[in-house]
Amino acid sequence: MKTIILLSKDIVLFTGLNTLANQKQTSIYNALTIKKVIKHASDPDTIGIIIDLHHLHDEDFFKNLDKIRHHFNGPIIILTKVFDAHSAKKMFKIKASVCLTSYNPDLILAQLISLIWLNENPRKIVENQEDIHDYLLSEHKKINLDLRQYPPKLNGKILNLTSKEFKLLKFLFENQNHVLSREQLLDGVWEYEDEYNTTRIVDMHISNLRDKIEADPANPQLIKTVRGLGYMLKLPNQ
């Protein structure tokens, strides 16, 4: 039977998750120590891990999550009573999947199931994307953007993008017509690899991309700003 590992001393949480998981033919294994999480993380039936930080010393967690990742590449949900942006960033750097402040079993399990699906179907979204993009800037002006290799080509000519600009552009195309926050772009493109990364770096790279691929960077038709939310790539006249 598929198993979700839970590290928590919250009996109400365990009971709620166990009841819901049983309805989906899945079991909850409540590991009482982080050493047991590490021990069972590599079990073939393990499909997800939930770690409750409420009764866990922070240093124990950060020291051991990296060990868990050596054995398990599926979704790991971290539960915490209070959201701490600095700690959350550290969690994401060592590849935690999600940090939740809700202890609602239904919400936690729904989030985990969504992450499991994404983990089991990593190529389906990408495979449905084409790496050659044609779009119209006007009735008579057609643009062809070829992202099959680096450096990419715009109307057959090499487009002078940095590697990060290229990765950002591909990420935008893979998620076209979806609003992406600056934090999502940081996570998807930069993967929080730099301690000093801020949302400002996203704005700077978006501006550079517009200068290179938009007919009129001051009035972008491709990479749209969604005020208060982030950015969205939308092919014009499609």
Side-chain angles (χ1 to χ4, degrees), residues 92-121:
F92 293 137
K93 284 191 71 173
I94 49 181
K95 302 301 183 289
S97 305
V98 168
C99 179
L100 293 179
T101 55
S102 171
Y103 277 65
N104 182 315
D106 201 17
L107 176 62
I108 295 168
L109 193 60
Q111 176 75 80
L112 186 61
I113 289 171
S114 175
L115 291 170
I116 290 168
W117 183 89
L118 288 171
N119 191 64
E120 292 176 345
N121 298 273

Side-chain angles (χ1 to χ4, degrees), residues 1-5 39-48 71-73 120:
M1 179 181 287
K2 294 180 179 179
T3 302
I4 296 167
I5 297 175
K39 177 181 177 181
H40 293 285
S42 58
D43 290 352
D45 292 334
T46 300
I47 58 172
H71 301 282
F72 181 71
N73 64 356
E120 292 176 345

